């Protein structure tokens, strides 16, 4: 008995949500029209109650946690001028531009906090001259120095960039990285697939179909990955729904996505934020919880829904554990991408704090590896 037999703890009060709720309770797949109704509704508790029920049926009271470390080898990026939402990237000679030597990257990776790192999360800019061999040496070197560690590295956008500068196919590029020790891929770079939004916020970035294709090829090679959506800027509800639908379709085809992570747009120090006249917190706690809960309800084929506490704050993330979320971003160690864009959260946290946050929500922390296998439970 997992307590879900009695149904959701909270049912929607919004009458428009009743047919949607009935489909959820009957275990039926939600349509794109259902997803739009969910996004339009203000019945956050009702939506969260349904998502919580779905999550508890899958995971009981387990919340997956990890001791991870983010590593951002370079902020030099050829798309610096066209990803208008990004505060992290620099042109090569711009103030604040950096590119780590391998020795510097290994040095940054060597700082252990209160528990040994189990996963490195590596993402960065599209450097015009940093070759595939740099990333192969980085991954190999990290694995030699940290036996047993797993590597989640390079978004689909970075993979496509490396393939282009090496004049290799996506498959060959991924095979080389896999041979070097790449375990999984992060979900960044998806932003919002709708072409109108992409033209406004990420004009020269990989198109939707290309992003999906890199993940399709990775999944075919046994490289599992995450998926994301950057929300809270110019996108509309139909744009959000179209995006989630594209992710769900690919997952039907490959089954390769491990987790969905909605990414809350941060507006400080970027062109888009200035255009929109926003600073500080762009998204609201209400919308953050709604995106997580709708992710759980609509993406019925994606095993895990992750809250990135660096973006959503630890407080909203803890509450999200009762809104359909079963996966909490790890210790992080040093976060750069969102702090450049105004994130007010700490740059890292301790393992003990993550365990405390989960337990305080009445849930059971389960430390996972990159494939979500249990390595330690509390
Ligand atoms: O693709 C950049 C986002 C992503 C901003 O897979 C911004 O476990 C908000 O891939 N406001 C990269 N978001 C980060 C990423 C990621 C993060 C956490 C977990 C995982 C995972 C992957 O960061 C980019 C972009 O969507 N981003 N700038 C900004 N101003
Ligand atoms: Fe470069 Fe990524 Fe920033 Fe775009 S979002 S400018 S690709 S680092």
């Amino acid at each position: 008995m997992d307590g879900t037999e009695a149904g959701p703890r909270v049912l929607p009060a919004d009458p428009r949500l009743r047919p949607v709720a009935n489909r959820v309770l009957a275990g039926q797949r939600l349509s794109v029209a259902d997803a739009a109704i969910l996004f339009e509704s203000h019945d956050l508790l009702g939506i969260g109650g349904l998502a919580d029920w779905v999550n508890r049926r899958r995971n009981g009271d387990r919340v997956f946690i990890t001791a991870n470390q983010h590593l951002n080898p370079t902020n030099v990026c050829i798309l610096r001028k066209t990803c208008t939402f990004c505060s992290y990237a620099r042109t090569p000679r711009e103030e604040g531009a950096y590119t780590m030597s391998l020795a510097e990257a290994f040095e940054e990776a060597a700082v252990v906090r209160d528990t040994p790192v189990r996963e490195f999360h590596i993402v960065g800019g599209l450097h015009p001259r940093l070759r595939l061999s740099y990333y192969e040496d980085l991954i190999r070197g990290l694995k030699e120095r940290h036996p047993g560690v797993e590597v989640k590295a390079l978004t689909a956008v970075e993979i496509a960039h490396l393939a282009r500068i090496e004049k290799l196919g996506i498959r060959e590029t991924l095979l080389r990285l896999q041979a070097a020790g790449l375990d999984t891929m992060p979900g960044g770079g998806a932003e919002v697939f709708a072409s109108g939004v992409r033209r406004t916020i990420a004009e020269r970035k990989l198109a939707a179909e290309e992003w999906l294709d890199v993940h399709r090829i990775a999944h075919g090679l046994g490289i599992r990955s995450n998926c994301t959506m950057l929300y809270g800027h110019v996108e509309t509800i139909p744009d959000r729904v179209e995006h989630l639908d594209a992710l769900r379709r690919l997952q039907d085809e490959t089954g390769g996505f491990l987790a969905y992570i909605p990414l809350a747009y941060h507006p400080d120090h970027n062109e888009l934020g200035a255009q929109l006249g926003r600073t500080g917190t762009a998204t609201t706690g209400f919308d953050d919880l709604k995106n997580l809960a709708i992710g759980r309800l609509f993406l019925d084929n994606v095993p895990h829904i992750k809250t990135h506490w660096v973006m959503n704050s630890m407080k909203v993330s803890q509450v999200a554990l009762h809104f359909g979320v079963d996966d909490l971003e790890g210790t992080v160690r040093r976060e750069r991408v969102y702090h450049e864009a105004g994130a007010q959260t700490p740059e890292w946290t301790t393992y003990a704090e993550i365990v405390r946050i989960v337990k305080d929500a009445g849930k059971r922390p389960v430390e996972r590896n990159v494939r979500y296998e249990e390595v330690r439970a509390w």
Side-chain angles (χ1 to χ4, degrees):
M1 299 277 277
D2 60 5
T4 55
E5 298 79 9
R9 290 170 175 153
V10 183
L11 276 167
D14 178 351
R16 286 192 73 204
L17 291 184
R18 300 239 170 92
V20 182
N22 289 339
R23 274 191 278 287
V24 171
L25 297 177
Q28 290 166 6
R29 174 165 272 202
L30 297 186
S31 66
V32 293
D34 292 333
I37 292 170
L38 287 165
F39 275 118
E40 280 157 15
S41 174
H42 287 99
D43 187 357
L44 179 61
L45 289 182
I47 298 168
L50 291 174
D52 176 57
W53 182 73
V54 170
N55 175 41
R56 282 188 296 120
R57 281 170 67 94
R58 284 171 171 260
N59 297 302
D61 60 359
R62 287 183 306 168
V63 171
F64 292 96
I65 61 168
T66 178
N68 69 347
Q69 177 166 342
H70 287 218
L71 201 58
N72 308 120
T74 180
N75 63 354
V76 172
C77 186
I78 56 169
L79 299 186
R80 152 82 177 86
K81 305 277 186 199
T82 53
C83 287
T84 59
F85 62 87
C86 179
S87 315
Y88 168 70
R90 300 285 186 281
T91 57
R93 269 180 283 282
E94 198 173 346
E95 202 192 327
Y98 74 87
T99 300
M100 292 180 189
S101 65
L102 286 172
E104 285 166 341
F106 294 142
E107 195 182 323
E108 175 152 333
V111 183
V112 173
R113 294 281 175 185
D114 61 340
T115 198
V117 169
R118 246 183 240 284
E119 171 195 292
F120 286 110
H121 170 136
I122 306 171
V123 292
L126 313 184
H127 195 290
R129 283 183 308 282
L130 217 47
R131 305 293 298 259
L132 182 55
S133 58
Y134 170 91
Y135 293 96
E136 291 175 300
D137 292 346
L138 177 61
I139 296 171
R140 272 205 188 93
L142 286 171
K143 289 207 151 172
E144 276 162 23
R145 287 165 176 77
H146 304 267
V149 85
E150 291 170 312
V151 174
K152 175 175 68 178
L154 300 168
T155 65
V157 180
E158 293 169 274
I159 300 282
H161 168 71
L162 286 170
R164 195 173 55 79
I165 61 177
E166 297 290 343
K167 299 189 175 55
L168 286 173
I170 300 289
R171 191 166 182 280
E172 289 64 37
T173 307
L174 284 168
L175 279 169
R176 291 239 324 241
L177 290 163
Q178 192 176 33
L182 176 79
D183 294 293
T184 56
M185 277 168 56
E191 320 315 356
V192 175
F193 291 143
S195 52
V197 178
R198 246 177 152 68
R199 258 198 307 281
T200 311
I201 71 164
E203 197 188 356
R204 288 185 41 225
K205 195 169 250 182
L206 212 60
E209 266 317 314
E210 295 169 307
W211 186 96
L212 291 163
D213 213 37
V214 174
H215 284 263
R216 183 180 285 114
I217 296 168
H219 296 171
L221 296 174
I223 301 171
R224 302 199 65 185
S225 65
N226 291 336
C227 54
T228 59
M229 174 173 75
L230 179 71
Y231 66 93
H233 42 89
V234 298
E235 86 288 0
T236 61
I237 287 176
D239 294 332
R240 288 183 182 185
V241 175
E242 174 190 325
H243 186 95
L244 292 176
D245 190 41
L247 296 178
R248 193 170 72 173
R249 280 170 198 267
L250 180 60
Q251 182 72 342
D252 277 343
E253 199 184 310
T254 65
F257 288 131
L258 288 162
Y260 167 65
I261 312 137
L263 299 173
Y265 169 58
H266 280 51
D268 283 358
H269 316 123
N270 56 65
E271 198 186 317
L272 184 62
Q275 274 168 20
L276 298 172
R278 293 211 200 128
T279 54
T281 317
T283 64
T284 60
F286 196 92
D287 204 26
D288 295 339
L289 289 171
K290 209 192 223 189
N291 270 281
L292 289 159
I294 295 174
R296 178 63 291 152
L297 291 171
F298 188 77
L299 298 174
D300 56 353
N301 52 3
V302 176
H304 305 285
I305 304 295
K306 186 197 280 193
T307 175
H308 194 17
W309 61 262
V310 174
M311 312 186 102
N312 291 335
S313 83
M314 198 56 106
K315 292 190 179 198
V316 169
S317 291
Q318 188 192 34
V319 174
L321 303 181
H322 289 268
F323 281 72
V325 169
D326 68 298
D327 188 6
L328 181 62
E329 177 59 33
T331 43
V332 173
R333 230 299 279 171
R334 173 140 190 226
E335 203 292 317
R336 291 181 171 90
V337 180
Y338 313 112
H339 285 87
E340 294 270 356
Q344 299 295 313
T345 46
E347 284 189 29
W348 59 279
T349 192
T350 63
Y351 187 81
E353 178 65 358
I354 287 186
V355 168
R356 185 180 79 89
I357 291 288
V358 175
K359 283 188 168 174
D360 188 64
K363 297 267 182 170
R364 193 162 61 91
V366 172
E367 188 179 332
R368 61 166 178 86
N369 61 18
V370 286
R371 288 170 305 284
Y372 287 78
E373 291 153 357
E374 181 171 322
V375 290
R376 190 158 46 147
W378 299 84

